[in-house]
Amino acid sequence: MQRIAVLTSGGDSSGMNPAIRAVTRKAIYHGIEVIGIKRGYTGFIEGEMSLLNLGSVADIIQRGGTMLFSARSEEFRTPEGRKKAFENVERFGIQGLIVIGGDGSFRGARQFHKEFGLPIIGVPGTIDNDIVGTDYSIGFDTAINTVVDAINKIRDTATSHERTFIVEVMGRDTGFIALTAGLAAGAESILIPEKPFSINDICHKLMQGHKRGKLHSIILVAEGASDSFDVASQIKEKTGFDTKVIILGHLQRGGAPTAYERVIGSCMGAKAVELLRNGEVLKMVGMQAGKIVALDIEDSALKKKPIDMDMYDLANILSI
Amino acid sequence: MQRIAVLTSGGDSSGMNPAIRAVTRKAIYHGIEVIGIKRGYTGFIEGEMSLLNLGSVADIIQRGGTMLFSARSEEFRTPEGRKKAFENVERFGIQGLIVIGGDGSFRGARQFHKEFGLPIIGVPGTIDNDIVGTDYSIGFDTAINTVVDAINKIRDTATSHERTFIVEVMGRDTGFIALTAGLAAGAESILIPEKPFSINDICHKLMQGHKRGKLHSIILVAEGASDSFDVASQIKEKTGFDTKVIILGHLQRGGAPTAYERVIGSCMGAKAVELLRNGEVLKMVGMQAGKIVALDIEDSALKKKPIDMDMYDLANILSI
Amino acid sequence: MQRIAVLTSGGDSSGMNPAIRAVTRKAIYHGIEVIGIKRGYTGFIEGEMSLLNLGSVADIIQRGGTMLFSARSEEFRTPEGRKKAFENVERFGIQGLIVIGGDGSFRGARQFHKEFGLPIIGVPGTIDNDIVGTDYSIGFDTAINTVVDAINKIRDTATSHERTFIVEVMGRDTGFIALTAGLAAGAESILIPEKPFSINDICHKLMQGHKRGKLHSIILVAEGASDSFDVASQIKEKTGFDTKVIILGHLQRGGAPTAYERVIGSCMGAKAVELLRNGEVLKMVGMQAGKIVALDIEDSALKKKPIDMDMYDLANILSI
Amino acid sequence: MQRIAVLTSGGDSSGMNPAIRAVTRKAIYHGIEVIGIKRGYTGFIEGEMSLLNLGSVADIIQRGGTMLFSARSEEFRTPEGRKKAFENVERFGIQGLIVIGGDGSFRGARQFHKEFGLPIIGVPGTIDNDIVGTDYSIGFDTAINTVVDAINKIRDTATSHERTFIVEVMGRDTGFIALTAGLAAGAESILIPEKPFSINDICHKLMQGHKRGKLHSIILVAEGASDSFDVASQIKEKTGFDTKVIILGHLQRGGAPTAYERVIGSCMGAKAVELLRNGEVLKMVGMQAGKIVALDIEDSALKKKPIDMDMYDLANILSI
């Protein structure tokens, strides 16, 4: 193996840069050249790529986002688009590809491998942490800390004014961010798509807390669980409490990667290079049982990653 | 002077706690007792107040919000409400009052002083920094840093995806937060209520930047300057750029006070006690020409604080 | 089980408060009363303890240190000291004890259980992460992030002045902090007690980096690996590079717990209560294979926790 | 004026990058070319300089340190060194120079101007904030916040273990950092070179605080005020309190500039360009009475900047 390529695809997440750095330096260490492809599959199709050297990835480990840029490519979903990309594979002499992204990006990778046989290794990168098979996806720890910091600030105002705040976080189909950040921040209620909820129960808990002297409440809502403004107006109506909504939105993606993010991003990037060197042709790097391992990339498409309901119950018990 | 009282009123702002601490400890140092009134004028009316000692204000200098809580009181706008409050003044033997809040709170203070003669000193506390007469209001520096931190995170995503982001900040009538944070964050355009703007000019600047290789743009919008979603859709239409909106909202109030906030909060709180001790009966503490001074509290009501248009021009030049 | 007690012992670590909160609320949820013992075994001996309720642990999840205070007790090493402590067990009707601390604290716990039969569960809390058997100890993630933040700041100066900085971190016998933070921060060299090093090799790497255009270098030294000032003077002598030393020291213990810290602290605290409820009499909570589990507390005393040499090699490869 | 140059000299400080950015973009806006000189006077002598364009200073406003690097140059103190530098002035067609640095750097600037007549404007950049004439020097606000953050962390441990901590900060001849950070952090005692202190008084205050229930104390020491380890051992001896020392050292220079730093750095950099355009030949930009103004650069050499003793007294009163 003499030359591989790396790209980031889908929504950016903090920690992608440490992973790109690890891919690049680990490969160069083993005498393999690394091509950086820009703008995900878009740059793959359009041949926007260039050689990375040791210095190309200097001073990026502490930066959010992705130095290779990212994009969602419609064209890569077409056979013509993928054919153009393969022409670049031949033109640039690429013998293996590392795709850092989410399950949408991995679908494209599987299809491309099936059609053209190029060895491809996926590295899970999405703040949602919802990729099946791996316990961790790059960007999650940083996102959680950003949400917790935001809630800390909001709590100051919530306490000073004895208010209820609805904080909406990312998670269209899954509640990983809401649940983990909610447990960490001591949110009074957590609404996730995986678990039906009753406004009456929430209001009951709010009012009981109020009776015990609680001066404020934070309700964390995954965007896919409910409409936050609707939840707010129902609470206001049923309890009379002053209730405000704040939507964290794109604030959750960026920011300097946490130490954990940098460690895992580095380990996953290096593992991807190792897998290519070992002759693997279609795998996903992942975390299982606390270790960085190789997983079947097909797995990530088949089912939905289950959320830890014990953690959900614990969050409820502790935020009484 | 043997006993004074202190309250926080209106929207909470970070730095109110250092000011409360300074009022309390400075007064006690001079042998004056301090009553802490809870929930602003609401607690003043309802007699929700108790003696503060040295330890009551320990370990609060680093906390956002206000340990005395805050509220907006409709009742204090009525003669009956103010009369009830004055009964508490007599009951608790309060000889002077320090009101930490914005110009709405100062209006009430002036009225109360006129009716009952109680010496009152205002301390400017509002993240908007729009109180006339004083160059600085408690909470502004912390809010600016929060906005700049948020833009740092957003910029990571904006760059990775080559997007334009509209970031809406507080400021219904004034653009102090938008302008100062925009200059500090290098925002490409800043929309403030004080200055008419043209969407065409903004789009022109965006497209020129794009031609020169700029990968993203941040447009900072004071909430009173325009509707952010409307700005976004116009930009999208005219330039074709992917444009997202994020509203920082209540995120801007709380958070641990910055070092500057703690210093100014401490100095202003101490100055308020000094003014009462010197026999002043109706003043506002403020910052002028870099010094903490006594100002005529009437001034804060009469006119609108002008924004620094040189700073606005500089922000435009530097973010080219 | 009607009444249990909890204490923190040894060096404080961030995340102890979330653990105390979880112990308290989880126990109360199950109808068990919780006694908070102050100052570790010192308070245990002296009977400094009082009932905790739901509100006692409100608003502590985001605070560093330990609300129960900590201390090292010589007296608890004596039979007399432990006998006094047991009198308090009887006086206060304590049926189980949760000890949050390091292996020194667990030694005392084992001895006390052996002598008096009181069920005791240990929760690993030490920033050094060196407790045998568990992959994680409370305080480690926060400490790592503090070290990485410090290195970020130091790197600005190192780059501006093209200097080499020796950064000394905690770790008398183990290099967990140095290795993990070093990988996360991209430190050019990492010196740990577990691995002999050669000053000549370090200087060689420094000079090669310098030739390739590296403007600065960070060398991370675990306090037990070498004398930092000695390392600095040897490097200065052999390379001629301007080399400074900074010792992070007690800066590494405190600070608001990270999101991860709060989650793990909460889960471990809750697990300890569960183990007592299940009739366990001498266990340690720990993390293994990514799960919170019950471990044999004896294990923590017998051997030394091995460091991950693959991670060490990776850090070397990536920081070339 | 067609071409000017800019350099940073002496110890780096956070905020130098916003100043460089402002110099560059403001000059280009007025049609003036900007040469960036590397490594301060060293690069000036050696001709290490190149043209900066709009993009050269993109994405630096949020970075600590200085993108132009800094150094202390012995050679520039010699007539030969300065003559070489002037040859570069002629070779590169430099018509004005902006020097961002401290008073040592300004001394060289005055000498050079006297000998060769080149218009030079100084911009005060030093975390010590001790340059005479200006109320503010770039880097101070960021340094203060770094110190306050560090004390926050240390206080967690100090409280948990009921310890006294001596925190040593920069300031060989002046106590600006110690005093301002000490007031902001609520340090129990502040030792500065400008004010003699008595160990007995400090111990007396410590013991009185202890009697009132204070669980810990932070003593902030400017490096020029005393030997921290000596202070610690005297306190330990006289009070018996467990007393630790932590030296923040180079941690204080770097780090992302605060919002205030970026605003002031930007305004000062732009002002320097304005002064050159207005035909000034030897001035220092400074802050006086809350405004950015032109000052006589000679002033900075003549006397010592006095510290605000009212602030010192206030810090003592508030930290009782």
Side-chain angles (χ1 to χ4, degrees):
Chain A
M1 184 150 277
Q2 279 146 338
R3 183 178 271 193
I4 63 171
V6 58
L7 62 80
T8 49
S9 170
D12 68 302
S13 71
S14 192
M16 285 183 161
N17 279 330
I20 294 167
R21 173 179 177 269
V23 165
T24 305
R25 294 197 167 168
K26 171 84 172 164
I28 291 175
Y29 175 81
H30 291 295
I32 302 169
E33 288 181 333
V34 181
I35 299 271
I37 300 173
K38 290 197 174 161
R39 290 175 187 75
Y41 292 130
T42 306
F44 195 27
I45 290 170
E46 295 174 6
E48 255 196 295
M49 44 184 85
S50 58
L51 221 53
L52 300 175
N53 57 38
L54 291 177
S56 311
V57 294
D59 202 27
I60 66 161
I61 198 172
Q62 80 280 18
R63 307 231 179 128
T66 159
M67 65 167 278
L68 292 177
F69 309 108
S70 190
R72 298 184 200 269
S73 167
E74 285 305 316
E75 201 180 350
F76 198 69
R77 299 190 185 191
T78 67
E80 296 74 30
R82 292 192 297 272
K83 197 164 157 279
K84 277 201 222 164
F86 185 66
E87 287 163 18
N88 287 319
V89 167
E90 293 190 306
R91 185 148 70 93
F92 286 86
I94 295 166
Q95 296 167 298
L97 174 66
I98 293 169
V99 172
I100 307 170
D103 53 2
S105 311
F106 293 168
R107 253 195 307 279
R110 281 191 303 266
Q111 185 62 29
F112 192 79
H113 171 74
K114 214 186 285 179
E115 291 171 2
F116 301 103
L118 183 74
I120 304 185
I121 306 295
V123 172
T126 163
I127 67 166
D128 290 325
N129 202 23
D130 59 354
I131 300 175
V132 180
T134 179
D135 291 342
Y136 192 78
S137 296
I138 295 171
F140 185 62
D141 190 57
T142 306
I144 293 303
N145 277 286
T146 296
V147 172
V148 168
D149 281 356
I151 295 177
N152 275 352
K153 289 191 209 298
I154 293 164
R155 210 178 270 279
D156 287 338
T157 293
T159 306
S160 298
H161 291 274
E162 298 162 79
R163 265 184 200 147
T164 299
F165 269 92
I166 312 285
V167 181
E168 183 181 304
V169 296
M170 285 190 172
R172 237 162 261 172
D173 307 308
T174 55
F176 292 98
I177 292 181
L179 175 53
T180 312
L183 175 56
E188 274 70 17
S189 294
I190 301 170
L191 275 52
I192 55 176
E194 290 89 343
K195 174 91 187 174
F197 63 91
S198 130
I199 286 283
N200 283 337
D201 289 355
I202 293 169
C203 292
H204 182 72
K205 190 173 181 186
L206 283 178
M207 292 175 81
Q208 283 212 312
H210 186 74
K211 262 187 224 154
R212 275 207 332 276
K214 267 214 173 189
L215 296 168
H216 67 271
S217 286
I218 304 285
I219 298 173
L220 213 52
V221 178
E223 59 184 331
S226 185
D227 179 276
S228 296
F229 291 99
D230 187 45
V231 172
S233 69
Q234 286 191 59
I235 288 175
K236 207 180 293 184
E237 199 188 315
K238 283 173 202 279
T239 64
F241 294 161
D242 184 7
T243 308
K244 305 265 177 197
V245 174
I246 182 161
I247 296 171
L248 294 183
H250 278 87
L251 206 63
Q252 296 162 78
R253 291 201 175 285
T258 60
Y260 184 82
E261 206 76 90
R262 300 179 190 194
V263 168
I264 303 300
S266 297
C267 291
M268 284 190 169
K271 181 75 177 183
V273 173
E274 227 171 274
L275 293 179
L276 282 180
R277 288 183 69 232
N278 291 348
E280 296 289 355
V281 295
L282 190 65
K283 287 281 176 187
M284 177 176 83
V285 173
M287 180 187 280
Q288 271 187 358
K291 297 235 169 311
I292 306 299
V293 294
L295 301 170
D296 193 335
I297 202 170
E298 305 284 352
D299 281 358
S300 69
L302 298 177
K303 28 189 192 215
K304 197 169 170 328
K305 184 171 167 184
I307 206 157
D308 182 346
M309 290 312 297
D310 288 347
M311 193 187 270
Y312 179 86
D313 292 338
L314 180 60
N316 266 325
I317 290 173
L318 299 189
S319 67
I320 199 159
Chain B
M1 186 149 274
Q2 279 146 336
R3 182 179 273 193
I4 62 172
V6 58
L7 62 80
T8 48
S9 170
D12 68 302
S13 71
S14 191
M16 285 180 161
N17 279 331
I20 294 166
R21 172 179 178 269
V23 165
T24 306
R25 293 197 168 169
K26 171 83 172 164
I28 291 174
Y29 175 82
H30 292 294
I32 301 169
E33 288 181 333
V34 182
I35 300 271
I37 301 174
K38 290 199 173 160
R39 293 177 182 74
Y41 293 130
T42 306
F44 195 27
I45 291 169
E46 295 175 7
E48 254 196 295
M49 44 184 85
S50 58
L51 220 54
L52 300 175
N53 56 39
L54 291 176
S56 311
V57 294
D59 202 27
I60 67 161
I61 197 172
Q62 78 281 16
R63 308 233 178 126
T66 159
M67 66 166 278
L68 292 177
F69 310 107
S70 189
R72 297 182 201 272
S73 166
E74 285 306 314
E75 201 180 351
F76 198 69
R77 298 190 185 190
T78 67
E80 295 73 31
R82 291 192 296 272
K83 197 164 158 279
K84 277 200 223 163
F86 185 67
E87 287 164 16
N88 287 319
V89 168
E90 294 190 305
R91 186 148 68 96
F92 287 87
I94 296 166
Q95 296 167 297
L97 173 66
I98 293 169
V99 172
I100 306 171
D103 53 2
S105 312
F106 293 167
R107 251 194 309 279
R110 281 192 302 268
Q111 185 62 29
F112 192 80
H113 171 74
K114 214 186 283 179
E115 291 172 1
F116 302 102
L118 183 73
I120 304 185
I121 307 294
V123 172
T126 162
I127 67 166
D128 290 327
N129 201 24
D130 59 354
I131 299 175
V132 180
T134 180
D135 292 342
Y136 191 79
S137 296
I138 294 171
F140 185 61
D141 190 56
T142 306
I144 294 302
N145 277 287
T146 296
V147 173
V148 168
D149 281 356
I151 295 178
N152 275 353
K153 289 190 208 297
I154 292 164
R155 210 179 269 281
D156 287 336
T157 293
T159 306
S160 299
H161 290 275
E162 298 163 79
R163 264 182 202 151
T164 299
F165 268 92
I166 312 286
V167 181
E168 183 180 304
V169 296
M170 284 191 172
R172 236 161 262 172
D173 307 309
T174 56
F176 292 99
I177 291 181
L179 175 53
T180 311
L183 176 56
E188 275 69 19
S189 293
I190 302 170
L191 275 53
I192 56 177
E194 291 90 343
K195 174 90 187 174
F197 62 91
S198 131
I199 286 282
N200 283 337
D201 289 356
I202 293 170
C203 291
H204 181 73
K205 191 173 180 185
L206 283 178
M207 292 176 80
Q208 282 212 311
H210 186 73
K211 264 187 222 152
R212 275 208 331 277
K214 267 214 173 188
L215 295 168
H216 67 272
S217 287
I218 304 286
I219 297 173
L220 213 52
V221 178
E223 59 184 332
S226 187
D227 180 276
S228 296
F229 291 99
D230 187 44
V231 172
S233 69
Q234 286 191 59
I235 288 174
K236 208 181 290 185
E237 198 189 317
K238 282 174 204 278
T239 64
F241 295 161
D242 184 7
T243 308
K244 304 265 178 198
V245 174
I246 182 160
I247 295 172
L248 295 184
H250 278 86
L251 205 62
Q252 297 162 77
R253 290 201 177 283
T258 61
Y260 185 82
E261 205 77 90
R262 300 180 191 193
V263 168
I264 303 300
S266 297
C267 291
M268 285 189 168
K271 181 76 177 182
V273 173
E274 226 171 275
L275 293 179
L276 282 180
R277 289 183 68 232
N278 291 347
E280 296 288 356
V281 296
L282 191 65
K283 289 280 176 187
M284 177 177 83
V285 174
M287 181 188 278
Q288 271 187 359
K291 298 234 167 314
I292 305 299
V293 294
L295 302 169
D296 193 335
I297 202 171
E298 304 284 353
D299 281 359
S300 69
L302 299 176
K303 27 190 191 207
K304 196 170 170 328
K305 184 171 168 184
I307 206 158
D308 182 346
M309 289 312 297
D310 288 348
M311 192 187 269
Y312 179 84
D313 293 338
L314 181 61
N316 265 323
I317 289 173
L318 298 189
S319 67
I320 198 162
Chain C
M1 186 151 274
Q2 278 146 338
R3 183 178 271 194
I4 62 172
V6 58
L7 63 80
T8 48
S9 170
D12 68 302
S13 71
S14 192
M16 285 182 161
N17 278 332
I20 294 166
R21 173 179 177 267
V23 165
T24 305
R25 294 198 168 168
K26 171 84 172 162
I28 291 175
Y29 175 81
H30 292 295
I32 301 168
E33 288 182 333
V34 181
I35 299 271
I37 300 173
K38 289 197 173 161
R39 292 176 185 74
Y41 292 129
T42 306
F44 195 28
I45 291 170
E46 296 174 6
E48 256 195 293
M49 44 184 85
S50 58
L51 221 53
L52 301 175
N53 57 39
L54 290 177
S56 311
V57 295
D59 202 28
I60 66 161
I61 196 172
Q62 79 280 16
R63 307 233 178 127
T66 158
M67 66 166 278
L68 291 177
F69 310 107
S70 190
R72 298 183 201 271
S73 167
E74 286 305 315
E75 201 180 352
F76 198 69
R77 299 191 184 189
T78 67
E80 296 74 30
R82 291 192 297 272
K83 196 164 159 280
K84 278 199 222 165
F86 185 67
E87 288 164 17
N88 286 320
V89 167
E90 293 190 306
R91 185 149 68 94
F92 286 87
I94 296 166
Q95 297 167 297
L97 173 66
I98 293 170
V99 171
I100 307 171
D103 52 2
S105 311
F106 294 167
R107 251 194 308 279
R110 282 192 302 267
Q111 184 64 29
F112 192 79
H113 170 75
K114 214 185 284 179
E115 291 172 1
F116 302 102
L118 183 73
I120 304 185
I121 306 294
V123 172
T126 163
I127 67 167
D128 290 326
N129 201 24
D130 59 354
I131 299 175
V132 180
T134 179
D135 292 341
Y136 191 79
S137 296
I138 294 171
F140 185 61
D141 191 58
T142 306
I144 293 302
N145 277 286
T146 296
V147 172
V148 168
D149 282 355
I151 295 178
N152 275 352
K153 288 190 209 300
I154 293 164
R155 209 178 270 279
D156 287 337
T157 293
T159 305
S160 299
H161 290 274
E162 298 162 80
R163 263 182 202 150
T164 298
F165 268 92
I166 312 286
V167 181
E168 183 180 305
V169 296
M170 284 190 171
R172 237 162 259 173
D173 306 308
T174 55
F176 291 99
I177 291 181
L179 174 54
T180 311
L183 175 57
E188 275 70 18
S189 294
I190 301 170
L191 276 52
I192 55 176
E194 291 89 343
K195 173 91 186 173
F197 63 92
S198 131
I199 286 283
N200 283 336
D201 288 355
I202 293 170
C203 291
H204 182 72
K205 191 173 181 186
L206 283 178
M207 292 176 80
Q208 282 212 314
H210 186 73
K211 264 188 223 154
R212 276 207 331 275
K214 267 214 174 190
L215 296 168
H216 66 271
S217 286
I218 304 286
I219 297 173
L220 213 51
V221 178
E223 59 184 330
S226 187
D227 180 277
S228 295
F229 291 99
D230 187 44
V231 171
S233 69
Q234 286 191 59
I235 288 175
K236 207 181 291 186
E237 198 189 316
K238 284 174 203 276
T239 64
F241 295 161
D242 185 7
T243 307
K244 305 266 178 199
V245 173
I246 183 160
I247 295 171
L248 295 184
H250 279 87
L251 206 62
Q252 297 162 78
R253 289 201 177 285
T258 61
Y260 184 81
E261 205 76 91
R262 299 180 190 194
V263 168
I264 303 300
S266 298
C267 291
M268 285 189 169
K271 181 76 176 181
V273 173
E274 226 170 274
L275 294 179
L276 283 180
R277 288 183 69 231
N278 290 348
E280 297 288 354
V281 295
L282 191 65
K283 287 280 175 186
M284 177 177 83
V285 174
M287 181 188 280
Q288 271 187 357
K291 299 236 168 310
I292 306 300
V293 294
L295 301 169
D296 193 335
I297 202 170
E298 306 283 352
D299 281 357
S300 69
L302 300 176
K303 25 185 198 224
K304 197 169 171 325
K305 185 172 166 183
I307 206 157
D308 182 347
M309 290 312 298
D310 288 347
M311 193 187 268
Y312 179 85
D313 293 337
L314 181 60
N316 266 324
I317 289 173
L318 298 189
S319 67
I320 199 161
Chain D
M1 184 148 276
Q2 279 146 339
R3 183 179 271 195
I4 62 171
V6 58
L7 62 79
T8 48
S9 169
D12 69 302
S13 72
S14 191
M16 285 182 161
N17 279 330
I20 294 167
R21 173 180 177 268
V23 165
T24 305
R25 293 198 168 169
K26 172 84 171 164
I28 291 174
Y29 175 81
H30 292 296
I32 301 169
E33 288 182 334
V34 182
I35 299 271
I37 300 174
K38 290 198 172 161
R39 291 177 186 74
Y41 292 131
T42 306
F44 195 27
I45 290 170
E46 295 174 6
E48 254 196 296
M49 43 184 87
S50 58
L51 221 53
L52 300 175
N53 57 37
L54 291 177
S56 312
V57 294
D59 202 27
I60 66 162
I61 198 171
Q62 79 281 16
R63 307 231 180 130
T66 159
M67 66 166 277
L68 292 177
F69 310 107
S70 190
R72 299 182 200 271
S73 167
E74 284 305 314
E75 201 180 351
F76 198 70
R77 299 190 185 193
T78 68
E80 296 73 30
R82 291 193 297 272
K83 197 164 158 281
K84 278 201 223 164
F86 185 65
E87 287 164 17
N88 287 320
V89 168
E90 293 190 306
R91 185 149 69 94
F92 286 87
I94 295 166
Q95 297 167 298
L97 173 66
I98 293 168
V99 172
I100 307 170
D103 53 2
S105 312
F106 294 167
R107 251 194 309 280
R110 280 192 305 266
Q111 185 63 29
F112 192 80
H113 171 74
K114 213 185 284 179
E115 290 171 3
F116 301 102
L118 183 74
I120 304 185
I121 307 295
V123 173
T126 163
I127 67 166
D128 290 325
N129 201 24
D130 59 354
I131 299 175
V132 180
T134 180
D135 291 342
Y136 191 79
S137 296
I138 295 171
F140 185 61
D141 190 57
T142 306
I144 293 303
N145 277 287
T146 296
V147 172
V148 169
D149 281 355
I151 295 178
N152 276 351
K153 288 191 209 299
I154 293 164
R155 210 177 271 280
D156 287 336
T157 293
T159 306
S160 300
H161 291 274
E162 297 163 80
R163 263 183 201 152
T164 299
F165 268 92
I166 312 285
V167 181
E168 183 180 305
V169 296
M170 285 192 171
R172 236 161 260 172
D173 306 308
T174 56
F176 292 99
I177 291 181
L179 174 53
T180 312
L183 176 56
E188 275 69 18
S189 292
I190 301 171
L191 275 52
I192 55 176
E194 290 89 342
K195 175 89 187 175
F197 62 92
S198 131
I199 286 282
N200 282 336
D201 288 356
I202 293 169
C203 291
H204 182 72
K205 192 174 181 184
L206 283 178
M207 291 175 81
Q208 282 212 313
H210 186 74
K211 263 187 224 153
R212 275 209 331 276
K214 268 214 173 191
L215 296 168
H216 66 272
S217 287
I218 304 286
I219 297 173
L220 213 52
V221 178
E223 59 185 330
S226 186
D227 180 276
S228 296
F229 291 99
D230 187 45
V231 172
S233 69
Q234 286 191 59
I235 288 175
K236 208 180 291 187
E237 199 189 315
K238 283 173 202 278
T239 65
F241 295 161
D242 184 6
T243 308
K244 304 265 177 197
V245 174
I246 182 160
I247 295 172
L248 294 184
H250 278 87
L251 205 62
Q252 296 163 78
R253 290 201 176 285
T258 61
Y260 185 82
E261 205 76 90
R262 299 179 191 195
V263 167
I264 303 300
S266 298
C267 291
M268 285 189 168
K271 181 76 176 181
V273 173
E274 224 170 276
L275 293 178
L276 282 180
R277 287 184 68 231
N278 291 347
E280 296 289 356
V281 296
L282 191 66
K283 288 281 175 187
M284 177 177 84
V285 174
M287 181 188 279
Q288 270 188 358
K291 298 236 167 312
I292 306 300
V293 294
L295 301 169
D296 194 335
I297 201 170
E298 305 284 353
D299 281 358
S300 68
L302 300 176
K303 24 187 194 204
K304 195 169 170 330
K305 184 172 167 184
I307 206 158
D308 183 347
M309 290 311 297
D310 288 347
M311 193 186 268
Y312 179 85
D313 292 338
L314 181 60
N316 265 324
I317 289 172
L318 299 189
S319 66
I320 198 161

